[in-house]
Amino acid sequence: EAQVTQNPRYLITVTGKKLTVTCSQNMNHEYMSWYRQDPGLGLRQIYYSMNVEVTDKGDVPEGYKVSRKEKRNFPLILESPSPNQTSLYFCASLAYHTDTQYFGPGTRLTVL
Amino acid sequence: EDQVTQSPEALRLQEGESSSLNCSYTVSGLRGLFWYRQDPGKGPEFLFTLYSAGEEKEKERLKATLTKKESFLHITAPKPEDSATYLCAVQAHGNQGGKLIFGQGTELSVKP
């Protein structure tokens, strides 16, 4: 089954404790992206990657890092999380030939 | 600045009562307009892509249309299972490969 998976699905942590949210897709897509979703602000892009070892900033990259060492994986790293990073995070991958972007199930992060 | 505005924010319908959701956009060269459905606690699910004014796409009770300034998602004879948040997003030409700019969504509730 074609899918984007994220782990963990739920995470409660404390300010300053480094964390990683993993994202994996099994569709061999070149393009992957991270979004955060906040009430009243909608979905906003954090970082994206157009292929292995190619990453770039989206609209709200501050406080986040990403890496793309393999085509299927695109982890999101919060080196020193802060309460304003409490949000619902989605990973997505794109099939260029159909323009269809597939989203993962989401990771709900709470930073205390 | 590229922008997407959806209206209404929330819509309550009786089962069988047809209606339309609006997505107004300003973008520097539209590459594509996308409609997604999002159920509570889940990732957005792709519905349609529209590329040019006058284009229409249909899927079951849903029909999406596109003009040069807005898109409509028409829902004909909705059922309770159509209840969800509907998201509209645009992608601009030459815009970072796959970046989507989302509206804030319309929360649809269909009562039996």
Side-chain angles (χ1 to χ4, degrees):
Chain A
E1 179 190 354
Q3 61 181 352
V4 178
T5 58
Q6 295 178 227
N7 282 293
R9 295 290 315 280
Y10 303 91
L11 179 60
I12 300 174
T13 189
V14 296
T15 300
K17 185 176 180 183
K18 182 179 178 180
L19 66 91
T20 300
V21 183
T22 64
C23 172
S24 183
Q25 51 96 1
N26 63 359
M27 295 168 279
N28 202 37
H29 291 164
E30 284 85 10
Y31 183 96
M32 296 185 74
S33 181
W34 277 102
Y35 293 85
R36 61 178 288 174
Q37 188 174 37
D38 302 290
L41 296 176
L43 278 151
R44 294 175 293 166
Q45 190 182 53
I46 303 170
Y47 266 96
Y48 66 96
S49 169
M50 298 185 72
N51 214 324
V52 176
E53 301 292 358
V54 180
T55 64
D56 209 345
K57 298 177 181 179
D59 293 323
V60 288
E62 293 79 18
Y64 304 94
K65 286 177 58 177
V66 293
S67 68
R68 188 91 181 275
K69 293 182 170 46
E70 306 166 279
K71 199 172 189 179
R72 64 181 292 126
N73 296 323
F74 190 44
L76 179 69
I77 304 156
L78 286 72
E79 295 267 1
S80 182
S82 62
N84 65 9
Q85 292 179 297
T86 292
S87 188
L88 181 58
Y89 291 86
F90 290 101
C91 179
S93 70
L94 171 69
Y96 279 129
H97 62 285
T98 64
D99 282 333
T100 302
Q101 198 146 161
Y102 297 89
F103 283 81
T107 295
R108 186 166 293 280
L109 172 66
T110 301
V111 183
L112 302 175
Chain B
E1 181 184 348
D2 300 336
Q3 194 169 344
V4 177
T5 303
Q6 292 186 245
S7 62
E9 290 185 13
L11 181 61
R12 285 182 167 74
L13 300 174
Q14 289 297 125
E15 185 171 1
E17 180 186 1
S18 301
S19 188
S20 296
L21 281 55
N22 177 262
C23 171
S24 297
Y25 64 91
T26 54
V27 64
S28 52
L30 180 70
R31 184 174 185 279
L33 184 141
F34 303 80
W35 281 99
Y36 284 85
R37 169 191 172 128
Q38 187 175 23
D39 293 300
K42 296 191 175 182
E45 176 187 344
F46 172 77
L47 292 174
F48 304 109
T49 308
L50 301 167
Y51 291 104
S52 56
E55 189 174 359
E56 298 181 352
K57 294 272 180 76
E58 284 189 70
K59 180 180 180 179
E60 296 180 354
R61 295 176 292 282
L62 300 177
K63 179 180 178 181
T65 62
L66 181 65
T67 72
K68 289 187 177 180
K69 293 185 178 181
E70 58 191 350
S71 176
F72 292 94
L73 184 65
H74 306 278
I75 304 177
T76 302
K79 297 182 178 181
E81 53 261 41
D82 294 322
S83 297
T85 296
Y86 290 85
L87 301 171
C88 173
V90 298
Q91 185 180 349
H93 276 294
N95 194 353
Q96 302 163 350
K99 177 184 174 180
L100 294 174
I101 300 165
F102 282 88
Q104 294 188 22
T106 293
E107 185 177 354
L108 174 66
S109 175
V110 182
K111 301 298 183 186

